[in-house]
Amino acid sequence: MSSDGSNDGEHRTSYTTAGAGYTRDARYITTRITRDGEDGYPVEPGRYRLVAARACPWANRTLIVRRLLGLEDALSVGLPGPTHDDRSWTFDLDPDGVDPVLGIHFLRDAYLRRDPGYPLGITVPAIVEVSSGAVVTNDFAQITLDFSTEWTDYHREGAPDLLPAAHRDEMDQVMRRIYTEVNNGVYRCGFAGSQESYDEAYDRLWTALDWLEERLTSQRYLVGDTITEADVRLFTTLARFDPVYHGHFKCNRQKLTELPALWAYARDLFQTPGFGDTIDFEQIKQHYYVVHHDVNPTGIVPKGPNLAGWLTPHHREQLGGRPFGDGTPPGPVRDGERVTAGHSPLA
């Protein structure tokens, strides 16, 4: 998520021409934290801190994967508040508004430690080296892949395989379409600068959602019979669909609750340890409706929707599948990382 309230609130954006379609700026700090430390940053427990706002779907991915793999002891987490000004994400939820490990109020400070002239947006998720206070990477797509492949020495016993080799080619194809048409598609609708660009974005989004509805009618998970990275990537958009994207971003052909397979699939994942226990619906709404001044100039945050349905039976187990494959569910959420009481049906 970018710190610039005039853009999408998630990542830096640009517009092809005034009043035209939305194009996401995909330039990131692509340094990687790897087992061999090829980029100068080897995997080491306690060396880094993940900064991930609960409001952000891209950051939410990292919170889910970190929890599923059991990386809590190896990689601490800092949680900025849901809103920010034009300068940066801020640690408003911590005592005195300062992250207790990094000692900063503005996430921007960690970016400037890396590059005093840093020219791009201040985004989450970001991984910061604790000793230097500098951002190592904010490449959100690569971060979760590296959690699965480079941090294996620190996975919990029973951690699932989120990138099964037998399905990797199919996963990559599915994830690519989910990213372009759904994860990013809702933003193309919400930040369209003309009726023509909005209509095109809307049609693309719903073509993809219809494809997913059909795919998930006959299989429990997106690829194979276990939860994979592809499910994580789709889930964070679905969790935000009715509270935000349906109205705020005008993605309003149907609500998620009106799509039988996708709604049951989303509930199935939400009720799976590691997914719903990372979702803070209040922070999600506060971010989108307060920060996006151009879309919602009044800053009024809606009270709805009713969230009780997230805990209703989904019956997806009838399709078979093994959520964690040969692994096991993660344990209880760690102290200090629980969603605020009242902000979720699980809280």
Side-chain angles (χ1 to χ4, degrees):
M1 291 190 170
S2 164
S3 64
D4 182 356
S6 66
N7 67 24
D8 70 349
E10 269 46 336
H11 291 359
R12 303 163 301 280
T13 65
S14 61
Y15 293 84
T16 52
T17 59
Y22 158 87
T23 302
R24 184 178 298 280
D25 183 345
R27 294 172 292 167
Y28 303 101
I29 301 173
T30 57
T31 305
R32 291 177 61 193
I33 300 170
T34 57
R35 183 181 289 103
D36 62 11
E38 182 178 2
D39 288 352
Y41 294 96
V43 172
E44 292 180 13
R47 179 169 175 172
Y48 309 100
R49 185 163 175 82
L50 171 66
V51 178
R54 293 192 189 276
C56 169
W58 320 94
N60 197 171
R61 294 181 186 183
T62 64
L63 295 175
I64 293 171
V65 174
R66 172 180 174 269
R67 179 148 156 63
L68 292 178
L69 298 179
L71 291 173
E72 292 95 333
D73 289 336
L75 180 67
S76 67
V77 67
L79 299 168
T83 62
H84 50 66
D85 59 22
D86 291 344
R87 292 170 291 181
S88 179
W89 289 92
T90 53
F91 294 94
D92 300 324
L93 305 179
D94 290 306
D96 300 320
V98 174
D99 180 88
V101 172
L102 300 176
I104 57 176
H105 176 63
F106 293 104
L107 178 57
R108 178 186 62 178
D109 293 348
Y111 278 83
L112 296 181
R113 286 280 182 89
R114 171 68 183 256
D115 178 1
Y118 185 71
L120 303 175
I122 309 302
T123 66
V124 292
I127 297 183
V128 180
E129 185 181 39
V130 174
S131 62
S132 67
V135 168
V136 176
T137 181
N138 65 342
D139 189 351
F140 73 96
Q142 190 62 48
I143 287 172
T144 50
L145 297 178
D146 285 344
F147 282 174
S148 280
T149 58
E150 301 296 327
W151 290 72
T152 52
D153 289 344
Y154 302 100
H155 288 184
R156 66 178 176 86
E157 184 178 355
D161 181 1
L162 300 178
L163 298 173
H167 298 291
R168 187 61 193 273
D169 289 344
E170 183 182 7
M171 278 183 58
D172 287 345
Q173 294 175 8
V174 170
M175 291 192 298
R176 187 177 304 113
R177 187 171 184 184
I178 288 172
Y179 171 72
T180 60
E181 306 305 297
V182 180
N183 300 148
N184 200 38
V186 293
Y187 287 92
R188 279 199 304 269
C189 291
F191 291 99
S194 70
Q195 188 68 50
E196 181 181 8
S197 61
Y198 165 74
D199 290 347
E200 179 185 4
Y202 179 97
D203 290 343
R204 284 181 61 179
L205 170 67
W206 283 101
T207 295
L209 289 173
D210 287 341
W211 164 68
L212 288 165
E213 176 73 10
E214 181 178 1
R215 184 181 185 94
L216 290 166
T217 296
S218 58
Q219 62 190 66
R220 188 172 182 184
Y221 302 112
L222 281 169
V223 181
D225 67 347
T226 64
I227 291 168
T228 67
E229 169 99 10
D231 297 296
V232 175
R233 295 186 178 201
L234 178 58
F235 172 76
T236 58
T237 294
L238 296 182
R240 289 159 175 77
F241 199 87
D242 285 4
V244 176
Y245 302 144
H246 178 272
H248 185 60
F249 277 179
K250 306 179 184 67
C251 303
N252 61 352
R253 193 191 79 180
Q254 291 164 277
K255 295 178 180 177
L256 176 64
T257 55
E258 296 167 346
L259 299 166
L262 277 167
W263 174 223
Y265 165 82
R267 299 198 320 273
D268 187 3
L269 291 178
F270 184 84
Q271 295 170 31
T272 299
F275 283 84
D277 51 36
T278 71
I279 299 293
D280 188 314
F281 287 108
E282 287 303 309
Q283 287 197 31
I284 288 168
K285 291 193 298 182
Q286 289 165 11
H287 173 75
Y288 285 91
Y289 287 102
V290 173
V291 171
H292 296 165
H293 303 296
D294 49 346
V295 179
N296 186 43
T298 65
I300 294 172
V301 179
K303 295 183 69 174
N306 188 321
L307 302 172
W310 282 99
L311 297 184
T312 58
H314 52 75
H315 305 298
R316 296 283 291 179
E317 65 278 355
Q318 296 174 7
L319 294 172
R322 302 173 300 141
F324 298 99
D326 295 329
T328 59
V333 179
R334 298 293 181 89
D335 290 343
E337 297 187 14
R338 296 187 182 92
V339 171
T340 301
H343 286 199
S344 164
L346 289 172

